[in-house]
Amino acid sequence: MRSWIRCILLATAVAIAPAAMLEGRPGATGFVMPTVEVESVDESGAPVPRGEIGQLRIRTPRTKSREALSANAQALGFRDCWFYPGDIGRL
């Protein structure tokens, strides 16, 4: 039996885990890397309680840089040094 690895790669973050670690966790795609912050937020940008569904946003040392504040970056989904990929989920 092969041991598969599930991986999600976004413009700013990676979540990765061996498939065996995700057994019994339906819908899980991996674990957040140490330098990455992920939050699930409501429409106003306030974090929702753990386990509740909200819009996902991601922050890394790179998204905290001045580059993420440019108009082009904002058009790609960056706001207030967070990247909003357009996904919903829960943590």
Side-chain angles (χ1 to χ4, degrees):
M1 181 174 194
R2 291 186 176 170
S3 177
W4 294 97
I5 294 178
R6 292 170 108 182
C7 178
I8 300 296
L9 174 63
L10 299 172
T12 59
V14 174
I16 189 166
M21 291 180 73
L22 300 176
E23 288 180 15
R25 299 173 190 231
T29 57
F31 300 94
V32 178
M33 302 297 283
T35 61
V36 178
E37 295 174 72
V38 178
E39 289 185 344
S40 185
V41 299
D42 63 19
E43 300 82 26
S44 68
V48 299
R50 192 161 195 76
E52 288 192 21
I53 293 176
Q55 181 179 10
L56 297 179
R57 68 180 183 181
I58 302 160
R59 183 165 59 185
T60 69
R62 183 161 171 83
T63 63
K64 295 178 188 176
S65 73
R66 295 175 74 98
E67 295 172 22
L69 300 176
S70 72
N72 186 44
Q74 291 176 13
L76 295 173
F78 289 88
R79 293 193 310 269
D80 302 320
C81 296
W82 287 92
F83 174 59
Y84 291 78
D87 298 323
I88 60 168
R90 72 176 129 231
L91 303 174

Coordinates of all heavy atoms in Angstrom, one line a residue:
M1 N 0.8 -1.2 0.0 CA 0.0 0.0 0.0 C 0.9 1.2 0.0 O 1.8 1.3 0.8 CB -0.9 0.0 1.2 CG -1.8 1.1 1.3 SD -3.0 0.9 2.7 CE -4.1 2.1 2.3
R2 N 0.6 2.2 -0.9 CA 1.3 3.4 -0.9 C 0.9 4.4 0.1 O -0.2 4.5 0.5 CB 1.2 4.1 -2.3 CG 1.8 3.3 -3.4 CD 1.7 4.0 -4.7 NE 2.4 3.3 -5.7 CZ 2.4 3.6 -7.0 NH1 1.6 4.6 -7.4 NH2 3.0 2.8 -7.9
S3 N 1.9 5.2 0.5 CA 1.6 6.3 1.5 C 1.6 7.6 0.7 O 2.6 8.1 0.3 CB 2.7 6.4 2.5 OG 2.5 7.4 3.4
W4 N 0.4 8.1 0.4 CA 0.2 9.3 -0.3 C 0.3 10.6 0.5 O 0.0 10.5 1.7 CB -1.1 9.4 -1.0 CG -1.3 8.3 -2.1 CD1 -1.8 7.1 -1.9 CD2 -0.7 8.3 -3.4 NE1 -1.7 6.3 -3.1 CE2 -1.1 7.1 -4.0 CE3 -0.1 9.3 -4.1 CZ2 -0.7 6.8 -5.3 CZ3 0.3 9.0 -5.4 CH2 0.0 7.8 -6.0
I5 N 0.7 11.6 0.0 CA 0.8 12.9 0.7 C -0.2 13.9 0.0 O -0.2 14.0 -1.2 CB 2.3 13.5 0.6 CG1 3.2 12.6 1.4 CG2 2.3 14.9 1.1 CD1 4.6 13.1 1.4
R6 N -1.0 14.5 0.8 CA -1.9 15.5 0.3 C -1.2 16.9 0.5 O -0.6 17.2 1.5 CB -3.2 15.5 1.1 CG -4.0 14.2 0.9 CD -5.1 14.2 1.8 NE -6.4 14.5 1.1 CZ -7.5 14.5 1.8 NH1 -7.6 14.4 3.1 NH2 -8.6 14.7 1.1
C7 N -1.4 17.7 -0.5 CA -0.7 19.0 -0.5 C -1.6 20.1 -1.1 O -2.2 19.9 -2.1 CB 0.6 18.9 -1.2 SG 1.5 20.5 -1.3
I8 N -1.7 21.2 -0.4 CA -2.4 22.4 -0.9 C -1.3 23.5 -1.1 O -0.6 23.8 -0.1 CB -3.5 22.8 0.0 CG1 -4.5 21.7 0.3 CG2 -4.1 24.1 -0.5 CD1 -5.3 21.3 -1.0
L9 N -1.2 24.0 -2.3 CA -0.2 25.0 -2.5 C -0.9 26.3 -3.0 O -1.6 26.2 -4.0 CB 0.8 24.6 -3.6 CG 1.8 25.6 -4.1 CD1 2.7 26.1 -2.9 CD2 2.7 25.1 -5.2
L10 N -0.8 27.3 -2.2 CA -1.4 28.6 -2.6 C -0.3 29.5 -3.0 O 0.9 29.2 -2.8 CB -2.2 29.2 -1.4 CG -3.4 28.3 -1.0 CD1 -4.0 28.9 0.3 CD2 -4.4 28.2 -2.0
A11 N -0.6 30.7 -3.4 CA 0.4 31.7 -3.7 C 1.3 32.0 -2.5 O 2.5 32.4 -2.7 CB -0.2 33.0 -4.2
T12 N 0.8 31.9 -1.3 CA 1.6 32.3 -0.1 C 1.8 31.2 0.9 O 2.5 31.5 1.9 CB 0.8 33.5 0.6 OG1 -0.4 33.0 0.9 CG2 0.7 34.7 -0.3
A13 N 1.2 30.1 0.8 CA 1.3 29.1 1.9 C 1.2 27.7 1.4 O 0.7 27.4 0.3 CB 0.1 29.4 2.8
V14 N 1.7 26.8 2.2 CA 1.6 25.4 1.9 C 1.0 24.7 3.1 O 1.4 24.9 4.3 CB 3.0 24.8 1.6 CG1 2.9 23.3 1.4 CG2 3.6 25.5 0.4
A15 N 0.1 23.8 2.9 CA -0.4 22.9 4.0 C -0.1 21.5 3.4 O -0.4 21.1 2.3 CB -1.9 23.0 4.2
I16 N 0.6 20.7 4.2 CA 1.0 19.3 3.8 C 1.0 18.3 4.9 O 1.2 18.7 6.0 CB 2.4 19.4 3.1 CG1 2.8 18.1 2.5 CG2 3.5 19.8 4.2 CD1 4.0 18.2 1.6
A17 N 0.6 17.1 4.6 CA 0.6 16.0 5.6 C 0.6 14.7 4.9 O 0.0 14.5 3.8 CB -0.6 16.2 6.5
P18 N 1.2 13.7 5.5 CA 1.1 12.3 5.0 C -0.4 11.9 5.1 O -1.1 12.2 6.1 CB 2.0 11.5 5.9 CG 2.9 12.5 6.6 CD 2.1 13.8 6.6
A19 N -0.9 11.2 4.1 CA -2.3 10.8 4.1 C -2.7 10.1 5.4 O -3.8 10.2 5.9 CB -2.5 9.9 2.9
A20 N -1.8 9.3 5.9 CA -2.1 8.5 7.2 C -2.5 9.4 8.3 O -3.3 9.1 9.2 CB -1.0 7.6 7.6
M21 N -1.8 10.6 8.4 CA -2.1 11.6 9.5 C -3.5 12.2 9.3 O -4.0 12.7 10.3 CB -1.1 12.7 9.5 CG 0.3 12.2 9.9 SD 1.5 13.5 9.9 CE 1.0 14.4 11.4
L22 N -4.1 12.1 8.1 CA -5.4 12.8 7.9 C -6.5 11.8 8.0 O -7.7 12.2 7.9 CB -5.4 13.4 6.5 CG -4.3 14.5 6.4 CD1 -4.3 15.1 4.9 CD2 -4.5 15.6 7.4
E23 N -6.2 10.5 8.2 CA -7.3 9.5 8.4 C -8.2 9.9 9.6 O -7.7 10.3 10.6 CB -6.7 8.1 8.5 CG -6.1 7.6 7.3 CD -5.5 6.2 7.4 OE1 -5.8 5.5 8.5 OE2 -4.8 5.8 6.6
G24 N -9.5 9.8 9.4 CA -10.4 10.1 10.5 C -10.6 11.6 10.6 O -11.2 12.1 11.5
R25 N -10.1 12.4 9.6 CA -10.3 13.8 9.6 C -10.9 14.2 8.2 O -10.2 14.8 7.4 CB -9.0 14.6 9.8 CG -8.4 14.3 11.1 CD -7.0 14.9 11.2 NE -6.2 14.5 12.3 CZ -5.6 15.3 13.2 NH1 -5.7 16.6 13.0 NH2 -5.0 14.8 14.2
P26 N -12.2 13.9 8.1 CA -12.8 14.2 6.8 C -12.7 15.7 6.4 O -12.9 16.6 7.2 CB -14.3 13.9 7.0 CG -14.3 13.0 8.2 CD -13.1 13.4 9.0
G27 N -12.3 15.9 5.1 CA -12.1 17.3 4.6 C -10.8 17.9 5.0 O -10.5 19.0 4.5
A28 N -10.0 17.3 5.8 CA -8.7 17.9 6.2 C -7.8 17.8 5.0 O -7.7 16.9 4.2 CB -8.1 17.2 7.3
T29 N -7.0 18.9 4.8 CA -6.0 18.9 3.7 C -4.6 18.9 4.1 O -3.7 18.8 3.4 CB -6.2 20.1 2.8 OG1 -6.2 21.3 3.5 CG2 -7.6 20.0 2.1
G30 N -4.3 19.1 5.4 CA -3.0 19.2 5.9 C -2.9 20.0 7.2 O -3.9 20.4 7.7
F31 N -1.7 20.3 7.5 CA -1.4 21.1 8.7 C -0.7 22.4 8.3 O 0.1 22.4 7.3 CB -0.5 20.4 9.7 CG -1.2 19.1 10.2 CD1 -0.9 17.9 9.5 CD2 -2.1 19.1 11.2 CE1 -1.5 16.7 9.9 CE2 -2.7 18.0 11.6 CZ -2.4 16.8 11.0
V32 N -1.0 23.5 8.9 CA -0.4 24.8 8.6 C 1.1 24.8 8.9 O 1.5 24.3 10.0 CB -1.1 25.9 9.3 CG1 -0.5 27.3 9.0 CG2 -2.6 25.9 9.0
M33 N 1.9 25.3 8.0 CA 3.3 25.4 8.2 C 3.7 26.4 9.3 O 2.9 27.3 9.6 CB 4.0 25.8 6.9 CG 3.8 24.8 5.7 SD 4.4 23.2 6.0 CE 6.1 23.4 5.7
P34 N 4.8 26.2 10.0 CA 5.1 27.0 11.2 C 5.1 28.5 10.9 O 4.8 29.3 11.8 CB 6.5 26.5 11.6 CG 6.6 25.2 11.1 CD 5.8 25.1 9.8
T35 N 5.5 29.0 9.8 CA 5.6 30.5 9.6 C 4.3 31.0 9.0 O 4.3 32.2 8.6 CB 6.8 30.8 8.6 OG1 6.5 30.1 7.4 CG2 8.1 30.3 9.2
V36 N 3.3 30.2 8.9 CA 2.0 30.6 8.3 C 0.9 30.8 9.3 O 0.8 30.0 10.2 CB 1.6 29.6 7.2 CG1 0.3 30.0 6.6 CG2 2.7 29.4 6.2
E37 N 0.2 31.9 9.2 CA -1.0 32.1 10.1 C -2.2 31.9 9.2 O -2.3 32.4 8.1 CB -1.0 33.5 10.6 CG 0.1 33.8 11.6 CD 0.0 35.3 12.0 OE1 -0.9 35.7 12.7 OE2 0.9 36.0 11.5
V38 N -3.2 31.2 9.6 CA -4.5 31.0 8.9 C -5.6 31.3 9.9 O -5.6 30.8 11.0 CB -4.6 29.5 8.4 CG1 -6.0 29.4 7.7 CG2 -3.5 29.2 7.4
E39 N -6.6 32.1 9.4 CA -7.8 32.4 10.2 C -9.0 32.2 9.4 O -9.0 32.3 8.2 CB -7.7 33.8 10.7 CG -6.7 34.1 11.8 CD -6.8 35.6 12.3 OE1 -7.5 36.4 11.6 OE2 -6.3 35.8 13.3
S40 N -10.1 31.9 10.0 CA -11.4 31.8 9.4 C -12.2 33.0 10.0 O -12.3 33.1 11.2 CB -12.1 30.5 9.8 OG -13.3 30.3 9.2
V41 N -12.7 33.9 9.1 CA -13.3 35.1 9.6 C -14.7 35.3 9.0 O -15.0 34.7 8.0 CB -12.4 36.3 9.1 CG1 -11.0 36.2 9.8 CG2 -12.2 36.4 7.6
D42 N -15.4 36.2 9.6 CA -16.7 36.5 9.1 C -16.7 37.6 8.1 O -15.6 38.1 7.7 CB -17.7 36.9 10.3 CG -17.2 38.2 11.1 OD1 -16.4 39.0 10.5 OD2 -17.7 38.3 12.2
E43 N -17.8 38.1 7.6 CA -17.9 39.2 6.6 C -17.1 40.4 6.9 O -16.6 41.1 6.1 CB -19.3 39.5 6.2 CG -20.1 38.3 5.7 CD -20.7 37.5 6.9 OE1 -20.9 38.0 8.0 OE2 -20.9 36.3 6.7
S44 N -17.1 40.8 8.2 CA -16.4 42.0 8.6 C -14.9 41.8 8.9 O -14.2 42.8 9.2 CB -17.1 42.6 9.9 OG -16.8 41.7 11.0
G45 N -14.4 40.6 8.8 CA -13.0 40.3 9.0 C -12.7 39.9 10.4 O -11.5 39.7 10.7
A46 N -13.7 39.7 11.2 CA -13.5 39.3 12.6 C -13.3 37.7 12.7 O -14.1 37.0 12.0 CB -14.6 39.7 13.5
P47 N -12.3 37.2 13.4 CA -12.2 35.8 13.5 C -13.5 35.1 14.1 O -14.1 35.6 15.0 CB -11.0 35.6 14.4 CG -10.2 36.9 14.3 CD -11.3 37.9 14.1
V48 N -13.8 34.0 13.5 CA -15.0 33.2 14.0 C -14.5 32.2 15.0 O -13.3 31.8 15.0 CB -15.8 32.5 12.9 CG1 -16.3 33.5 11.9 CG2 -14.9 31.5 12.1
P49 N -15.3 31.7 15.9 CA -14.9 30.7 16.9 C -14.4 29.4 16.2 O -14.9 29.1 15.1 CB -16.1 30.4 17.7 CG -17.0 31.7 17.6 CD -16.7 32.2 16.2
R50 N -13.4 28.8 16.8 CA -12.8 27.6 16.3 C -13.9 26.6 16.0 O -14.9 26.4 16.8 CB -11.9 27.0 17.3 CG -11.0 25.9 16.8 CD -9.8 25.7 17.7 NE -8.8 24.9 17.0 CZ -7.9 25.3 16.1 NH1 -8.0 26.5 15.7 NH2 -7.0 24.5 15.6
G51 N -13.9 26.0 14.8 CA -14.9 25.0 14.4 C -16.0 25.6 13.6 O -16.8 24.8 12.9
E52 N -16.2 26.9 13.6 CA -17.2 27.5 12.8 C -16.7 27.8 11.4 O -15.5 28.1 11.2 CB -17.7 28.8 13.4 CG -18.6 28.5 14.6 CD -19.3 29.7 15.1 OE1 -19.5 30.7 14.3 OE2 -19.7 29.7 16.3
I53 N -17.5 27.8 10.4 CA -17.1 28.1 9.0 C -17.1 29.6 8.8 O -17.9 30.4 9.2 CB -18.1 27.5 8.0 CG1 -18.0 25.9 8.2 CG2 -17.9 27.9 6.6 CD1 -19.0 25.2 7.3
G54 N -16.0 30.0 8.1 CA -15.9 31.4 7.7 C -15.0 31.5 6.5 O -14.5 30.5 5.9
Q55 N -14.7 32.7 6.0 CA -13.8 32.9 4.9 C -12.3 32.8 5.4 O -12.0 33.3 6.5 CB -14.0 34.3 4.3 CG -13.1 34.6 3.1 CD -13.3 35.9 2.5 OE1 -14.0 36.8 3.1 NE2 -12.7 36.2 1.4
L56 N -11.5 32.0 4.7 CA -10.2 31.8 5.1 C -9.3 32.9 4.7 O -9.5 33.5 3.6 CB -9.6 30.5 4.5 CG -10.3 29.2 5.0 CD1 -9.7 28.0 4.3 CD2 -10.3 29.1 6.5
R57 N -8.3 33.3 5.5 CA -7.3 34.3 5.2 C -6.0 33.8 5.7 O -5.9 33.0 6.7 CB -7.7 35.7 5.7 CG -7.6 35.8 7.2 CD -8.0 37.3 7.5 NE -7.9 37.5 9.0 CZ -8.2 38.6 9.5 NH1 -8.6 39.7 8.8 NH2 -8.1 38.8 10.8
I58 N -4.9 34.1 5.0 CA -3.6 33.6 5.3 C -2.6 34.7 5.4 O -2.7 35.7 4.6 CB -3.2 32.6 4.1 CG1 -4.2 31.5 4.0 CG2 -1.8 32.1 4.3 CD1 -4.2 30.8 2.7
R59 N -1.7 34.6 6.3 CA -0.6 35.6 6.5 C 0.7 34.9 6.7 O 0.8 33.9 7.4 CB -0.9 36.5 7.6 CG 0.1 37.6 7.8 CD -0.4 38.7 8.7 NE -0.8 38.3 10.0 CZ -1.3 39.0 11.0 NH1 -1.6 40.3 10.7 NH2 -1.6 38.5 12.1
T60 N 1.7 35.4 6.0 CA 3.1 34.8 6.1 C 4.0 36.0 6.2 O 3.6 37.2 6.1 CB 3.5 34.1 4.8 OG1 3.6 35.0 3.7 CG2 2.5 33.0 4.4
P61 N 5.3 35.8 6.6 CA 6.2 36.9 6.6 C 6.2 37.7 5.3 O 6.3 38.9 5.3 CB 7.5 36.2 6.9 CG 7.2 35.0 7.6 CD 5.9 34.5 7.0
R62 N 6.0 37.0 4.2 CA 6.0 37.8 2.9 C 4.8 38.7 2.8 O 4.9 39.8 2.2 CB 6.1 36.8 1.8 CG 6.2 37.5 0.4 CD 6.7 36.5 -0.6 NE 6.6 37.1 -1.9 CZ 7.5 37.9 -2.5 NH1 8.5 38.3 -1.8 NH2 7.3 38.4 -3.7
T63 N 3.6 38.2 3.2 CA 2.4 39.0 3.0 C 2.4 40.2 4.0 O 1.7 41.2 3.8 CB 1.1 38.2 3.3 OG1 1.1 37.8 4.6 CG2 1.0 37.1 2.3
K64 N 3.3 40.2 5.0 CA 3.4 41.3 5.9 C 4.3 42.4 5.3 O 4.4 43.5 5.8 CB 4.0 40.9 7.2 CG 3.1 40.0 8.0 CD 3.7 39.5 9.3 CE 3.0 38.5 10.0 NZ 3.6 38.0 11.2
S65 N 4.9 42.2 4.1 CA 5.8 43.1 3.5 C 5.1 44.2 2.8 O 3.9 44.1 2.5 CB 6.7 42.4 2.5 OG 6.0 42.0 1.4
R66 N 5.8 45.2 2.4 CA 5.2 46.3 1.7 C 4.7 45.9 0.3 O 3.7 46.5 -0.2 CB 6.3 47.4 1.5 CG 6.8 48.0 2.8 CD 7.9 49.0 2.5 NE 7.4 50.2 1.9 CZ 7.2 51.3 2.6 NH1 7.3 51.4 3.9 NH2 6.7 52.4 2.0
E67 N 5.3 44.9 -0.3 CA 4.8 44.4 -1.6 C 3.3 44.0 -1.5 O 2.6 44.2 -2.5 CB 5.6 43.2 -2.1 CG 7.0 43.5 -2.3 CD 7.8 42.2 -2.6 OE1 7.2 41.2 -3.0 OE2 9.0 42.2 -2.4
A68 N 2.9 43.5 -0.4 CA 1.5 43.0 -0.3 C 0.5 44.2 -0.2 O -0.7 44.1 -0.3 CB 1.3 42.2 0.9
L69 N 1.0 45.4 0.0 CA 0.2 46.6 0.1 C 0.0 47.3 -1.2 O -0.8 48.2 -1.3 CB 0.8 47.6 1.1 CG 1.0 47.0 2.5 CD1 1.7 48.1 3.4 CD2 -0.3 46.6 3.1
S70 N 0.6 46.9 -2.3 CA 0.5 47.5 -3.6 C -0.9 47.3 -4.1 O -1.6 46.4 -3.8 CB 1.5 46.9 -4.6 OG 1.2 45.6 -4.9
A71 N -1.3 48.2 -5.1 CA -2.6 48.1 -5.7 C -2.8 46.8 -6.4 O -3.8 46.2 -6.4 CB -2.8 49.3 -6.6
N72 N -1.7 46.3 -7.1 CA -1.8 45.0 -7.8 C -2.0 43.9 -6.9 O -2.8 43.0 -7.1 CB -0.5 44.8 -8.6 CG -0.5 43.6 -9.5 OD1 -1.5 43.4 -10.2 ND2 0.5 42.8 -9.5
A73 N -1.3 43.9 -5.7 CA -1.5 42.8 -4.7 C -3.0 42.8 -4.2 O -3.6 41.8 -4.0 CB -0.5 43.0 -3.6
Q74 N -3.5 44.0 -4.0 CA -4.9 44.1 -3.5 C -5.8 43.5 -4.5 O -6.8 42.9 -4.2 CB -5.2 45.5 -3.2 CG -4.5 46.0 -1.9 CD -4.7 47.5 -1.7 OE1 -5.6 48.1 -2.2 NE2 -3.9 48.1 -0.8
A75 N -5.6 43.7 -5.8 CA -6.4 43.2 -6.8 C -6.4 41.6 -6.9 O -7.3 41.0 -7.3 CB -6.0 43.7 -8.2
L76 N -5.3 41.1 -6.4 CA -5.1 39.6 -6.3 C -5.7 39.0 -5.1 O -5.6 37.8 -4.9 CB -3.6 39.3 -6.5 CG -3.0 39.6 -7.8 CD1 -1.5 39.4 -7.8 CD2 -3.6 38.9 -9.0
G77 N -6.2 39.8 -4.1 CA -6.8 39.2 -2.9 C -6.0 39.5 -1.6 O -6.4 39.0 -0.6
F78 N -5.1 40.5 -1.7 CA -4.4 40.9 -0.4 C -5.0 42.1 0.2 O -5.3 43.0 -0.5 CB -2.9 41.2 -0.8 CG -2.1 40.0 -1.1 CD1 -2.0 39.5 -2.4 CD2 -1.4 39.3 -0.1 CE1 -1.3 38.4 -2.7 CE2 -0.6 38.2 -0.4 CZ -0.6 37.8 -1.8
R79 N -5.3 42.0 1.5 CA -5.9 43.1 2.2 C -5.3 43.1 3.6 O -5.2 42.1 4.3 CB -7.4 43.0 2.3 CG -8.1 43.2 1.0 CD -9.6 43.4 1.2 NE -10.3 42.4 2.1 CZ -10.8 41.3 1.7 NH1 -10.8 40.9 0.4 NH2 -11.4 40.5 2.5
D80 N -4.8 44.3 4.0 CA -4.3 44.4 5.4 C -3.3 43.4 5.7 O -3.3 42.8 6.8 CB -5.5 44.4 6.4 CG -6.5 45.4 6.2 OD1 -6.1 46.6 5.8 OD2 -7.7 45.1 6.3
C81 N -2.4 43.1 4.8 CA -1.3 42.1 5.0 C -1.8 40.7 5.1 O -1.1 39.8 5.6 CB -0.4 42.5 6.1 SG 0.5 44.1 5.8
W82 N -3.0 40.4 4.7 CA -3.6 39.0 4.7 C -3.9 38.7 3.2 O -4.3 39.6 2.5 CB -4.9 38.9 5.5 CG -4.7 39.0 7.0 CD1 -4.7 40.1 7.8 CD2 -4.5 37.9 7.9 NE1 -4.5 39.7 9.1 CE2 -4.4 38.4 9.2 CE3 -4.4 36.5 7.7 CZ2 -4.2 37.6 10.3 CZ3 -4.2 35.7 8.8 CH2 -4.1 36.2 10.1
F83 N -3.8 37.4 2.9 CA -4.2 36.9 1.6 C -5.5 36.2 1.7 O -5.7 35.4 2.6 CB -3.2 36.0 1.0 CG -3.6 35.3 -0.3 CD1 -3.9 36.1 -1.4 CD2 -3.7 34.0 -0.4 CE1 -4.3 35.5 -2.6 CE2 -4.1 33.3 -1.6 CZ -4.4 34.1 -2.7
Y84 N -6.5 36.7 0.9 CA -7.9 36.1 0.9 C -8.0 35.3 -0.4 O -8.3 35.8 -1.4 CB -8.9 37.2 1.0 CG -9.0 37.9 2.3 CD1 -8.0 38.9 2.6 CD2 -10.0 37.6 3.2 CE1 -8.1 39.6 3.8 CE2 -10.0 38.3 4.4 CZ -9.1 39.3 4.7 OH -9.2 40.0 5.9
P85 N -7.8 33.9 -0.3 CA -7.9 33.1 -1.5 C -9.3 32.9 -2.1 O -9.5 32.4 -3.2 CB -7.3 31.8 -1.1 CG -7.6 31.7 0.3 CD -7.5 33.1 0.9
G86 N -10.3 33.3 -1.3 CA -11.7 33.1 -1.7 C -12.3 31.8 -1.3 O -13.4 31.5 -1.7
D87 N -11.6 31.1 -0.4 CA -12.1 29.8 0.1 C -12.8 30.0 1.5 O -12.5 30.9 2.2 CB -10.9 28.9 0.3 CG -10.2 28.6 -1.0 OD1 -10.9 28.5 -2.0 OD2 -9.0 28.4 -0.9
I88 N -13.8 29.1 1.7 CA -14.4 29.0 3.0 C -14.0 27.8 3.7 O -13.6 26.8 3.0 CB -15.9 29.2 3.0 CG1 -16.5 28.0 2.1 CG2 -16.4 30.5 2.4 CD1 -18.0 27.9 2.3
G89 N -13.9 27.8 5.0 CA -13.5 26.6 5.8 C -13.6 26.8 7.2 O -14.0 27.9 7.7
R90 N -13.2 25.8 8.0 CA -13.1 25.9 9.5 C -11.8 25.4 9.9 O -11.2 24.6 9.3 CB -14.3 25.2 10.1 CG -14.2 23.7 10.0 CD -15.4 23.1 10.8 NE -16.0 22.1 9.9 CZ -17.2 22.0 9.6 NH1 -18.1 22.9 10.2 NH2 -17.7 21.2 8.8
L91 N -11.4 25.9 11.1 CA -10.1 25.5 11.7 C -10.4 24.7 13.0 O -11.4 24.9 13.6 CB -9.2 26.7 12.0 CG -8.9 27.5 10.8 CD1 -8.1 28.8 11.2 CD2 -8.1 26.7 9.7

